[in-house]
């Protein structure tokens, strides 16, 4: 089975990201990280993942992205296409998913550290779980082992602490409603009230107090949405580090340099 990959590369309307401003580019997703635009790392990894077929980049301003040689080649090969970004993240997902072949792998343009093997691991585990929808997580100890400054906040469950890897699974059109979870912008660790809106007040209490395992909480949310929503724990902690700010930019560059040195 092949999946369709959506790479979310939108920008906030009327706001220039500080990293983009410093780099002299119009949008964050083309800021150079480790010597090349951050979205190029993502496109390279996704395109090298054997389970991924079509790739769609959802963007408000595609021209800078389309000028990247790898992106241009994939467009010429008929494997990659652009879809317009919408006013918010959820409607951008809907735009990217229009007429797409399911299942969908959704990732973000600042996920510079996820490898082809990481995406393959996520896809295989989602298929094995027969997931209607899924979210990738990494263990706190794995994230901190990759880099102590990689993340500062974690989701707390009775079976441990985890960080979001900004990688998601939509198994079919019916499960596309799971994207509504992100309408408030996600970032539930920073803004716990968003859990009440997305998942219900009782699940907010359970989440905030760390009651129950992640599997139990996801099962309760599955009942609320009417399809199977599962947490998928990935094997490498650096997958949870995305480029949000100067701190994570520096962490990402360190980890990319370490990876390059290890490869010889």
């Amino acid at each position: 089975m092949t999946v369709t990959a959506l790479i979310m590369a939108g920008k906030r309307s009327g706001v220039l990201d500080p990293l983009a401003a410093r780099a002299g580019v119009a949008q964050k997703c083309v800021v150079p990280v480790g010597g090349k635009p951050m979205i190029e790392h993502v496109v390279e990894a996704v395109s090298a993942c054997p389970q991924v077929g079509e790739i769609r980049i959802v963007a408000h301003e595609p021209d800078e992205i389309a000028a990247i040689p790898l992106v241009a080649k994939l467009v010429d090969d008929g494997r990659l296409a652009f879809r317009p970004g919408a006013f918010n993240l959820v409607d951008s997902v809907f735009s990217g998913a229009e007429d797409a072949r399911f299942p969908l792998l959704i990732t973000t343009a600042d996920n510079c550290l996820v490898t082809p093997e990481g995406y393959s691991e996520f896809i295989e585990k989602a298929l094995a779980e027969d997931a209607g929808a899924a979210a990738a997580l990494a263990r706190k100890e794995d994230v901190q082992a990759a880099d102590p400054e990689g993340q500062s906040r974690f989701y707390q469950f009775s079976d441990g602490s985890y960080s979001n890897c900004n990688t998601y699974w939509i198994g079919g059109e019916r499960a596309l409603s799971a994207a509504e979870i992100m309408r408030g912008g996600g970032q539930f660790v920073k803004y716990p009230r968003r859990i009440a809106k997305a998942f219900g007040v009782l699940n907010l209490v359970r989440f905030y107090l760390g009651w129950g395992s992640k599997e139990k909480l996801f099962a309760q949310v599955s009942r609320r949405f009417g399809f199977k929503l599962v947490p998928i724990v990935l094997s490498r902690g650096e997958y949870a580090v995305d480029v949000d700010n100067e701190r994570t930019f520096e962490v990402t560059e360190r980890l990319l340099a370490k990876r390059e040195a290890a490869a010889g």
Side-chain angles (χ1 to χ4, degrees):
M1 174 184 287
T2 60
V3 307
T4 301
L6 304 187
I7 301 175
M8 309 308 296
K11 58 180 291 187
R12 294 179 183 176
S13 179
V15 178
L16 181 60
D17 181 89
L19 292 175
R22 187 198 65 182
V25 295
Q27 53 192 321
K28 189 182 93 170
C29 71
V30 294
V31 170
V33 181
K36 57 188 174 184
M38 66 173 71
I39 193 172
E40 186 174 352
H41 293 279
V42 182
V43 172
E44 191 172 60
V46 167
S47 63
C49 176
Q51 296 97 328
V52 171
E54 182 186 4
I55 302 167
R56 296 182 173 191
I57 296 177
V58 184
H60 294 97
E61 297 182 11
D63 290 351
E64 279 184 313
I65 305 168
I68 297 169
L70 174 61
V71 173
K73 181 181 185 304
L74 290 168
V75 170
D76 289 343
D77 291 345
R79 191 176 174 199
L80 187 151
F82 285 88
R83 291 292 184 273
F87 179 72
N88 57 57
L89 178 59
V90 174
D91 291 329
S92 291
V93 170
F94 291 156
S95 173
E98 186 175 357
D99 299 323
R101 179 178 178 179
F102 289 88
L104 303 179
L105 166 73
I106 303 174
T107 190
T108 56
D110 54 8
N111 261 1
C112 300
L113 291 168
V114 183
T115 63
E117 295 77 16
Y119 287 120
S120 285
E121 178 186 2
F122 179 68
I123 291 167
E124 290 301 323
K125 288 182 175 179
L127 290 171
E129 290 278 0
D130 192 25
L137 304 173
R139 299 176 186 86
K140 178 179 180 179
E141 52 267 35
D142 292 338
V143 177
Q144 293 183 331
D147 193 290
E149 297 182 26
Q151 286 289 354
S152 57
R153 294 184 176 93
F154 296 88
Y155 299 100
Q156 180 66 49
F157 302 100
S158 63
D159 58 334
S161 299
Y162 297 84
S163 183
N164 178 22
C165 296
N166 281 342
T167 301
Y168 307 95
W169 177 265
I170 303 293
E173 191 166 1
R174 179 170 172 264
L176 195 58
S177 61
E180 289 288 348
I181 293 171
M182 305 303 295
R183 188 170 289 279
Q187 296 185 315
F188 296 124
V189 175
K190 292 181 183 178
Y191 308 106
R193 291 184 195 176
R194 293 178 178 174
I195 299 173
K197 184 176 180 181
F199 303 132
V201 174
L202 183 57
N203 286 324
L204 168 61
V205 173
R206 291 189 177 110
F207 172 86
Y208 192 71
L209 297 178
W211 291 351
S213 67
K214 61 190 179 302
E215 286 79 12
K216 182 177 180 181
L217 180 60
F218 272 68
Q220 290 161 341
V221 173
S222 296
R223 287 193 289 272
R224 179 180 177 89
F225 279 89
F227 53 81
K228 187 178 181 182
L229 177 67
V230 299
I232 293 178
V233 179
L234 298 182
S235 58
R236 295 178 62 169
E238 65 263 33
Y239 295 158
V241 181
D242 57 351
V243 185
D244 276 336
N245 49 41
E246 287 288 347
R247 174 181 60 82
T248 50
F249 175 90
E250 291 173 4
V251 170
T252 300
E253 289 221 310
R254 277 202 302 270
L255 290 172
L256 286 172
K258 184 185 296 185
R259 184 181 292 173
E260 186 176 343

